[in-house]
């Protein structure tokens, strides 16, 4: 069981790193005029996301117990899905971008 868990943790870390690189690239595409500002914004958003996820999951642990920590993950996953849909719909409305992604 331990080797399977270790492999899962490594795979999850690799996927998280790939996701961070893709997000950084997309942000650099849309904010190419202010790369320092966009990089700071990216890091701030990532840190706020870690803080909010820890706080919300901690609330579920404190209120309902450790088995309900999954509820925090599900809540945040649903919020991410809704936010992604909202941003995608807004991008479809604008359709003016120089970024090669999504063209």
């Amino acid at each position: 069981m331990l080797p399977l868990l270790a492999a899962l943790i490594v795979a999850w870390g690799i996927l998280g790193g790939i996701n961070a690189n893709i997000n950084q690239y997309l942000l650099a595409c849309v904010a190419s005029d202010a790369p320092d500002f966009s990089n700071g914004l990216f890091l701030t958003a990532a840190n706020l996301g870690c803080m909010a996820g820890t706080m919300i999951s901690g609330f579920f642990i404190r209120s309902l117990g450790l088995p309900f920590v999954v509820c925090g993950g599900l809540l945040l996953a649903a919020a991410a899905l809704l936010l992604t849909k909202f941003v995608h719909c807004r991008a479809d409305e604008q359709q003016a971008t120089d970024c090669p992604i999504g063209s």
Side-chain angles (χ1 to χ4, degrees):
M1 186 67 169
L2 189 60
L4 179 62
L5 185 59
L8 183 62
I9 290 171
V10 169
W12 196 262
I14 290 170
L15 289 174
I18 291 170
N19 182 45
N21 287 338
I22 291 170
N23 285 336
Q24 186 70 28
Y25 174 74
L26 291 173
L27 190 61
C29 282
V30 261
S32 59
D33 293 339
D36 293 334
F37 175 72
S38 65
N39 188 47
L41 192 62
F42 171 76
L43 293 173
T44 300
N47 288 331
L48 282 173
C50 289
M51 181 273 311
T54 303
M55 185 179 72
I56 290 171
S57 293
F59 171 77
F60 278 103
I61 292 171
R62 184 177 50 106
S63 300
L64 303 171
L66 188 59
F68 291 92
V69 71
V70 175
C71 294
L74 292 173
L75 180 68
L76 291 170
L81 201 61
L82 288 173
L83 183 62
T84 301
K85 181 67 176 166
F86 174 75
V87 169
H88 182 69
C89 289
R90 294 272 309 195
D92 283 347
E93 291 173 5
Q94 294 176 354
Q95 282 298 323
T97 180
D98 294 335
C99 190
I101 302 295
S103 323

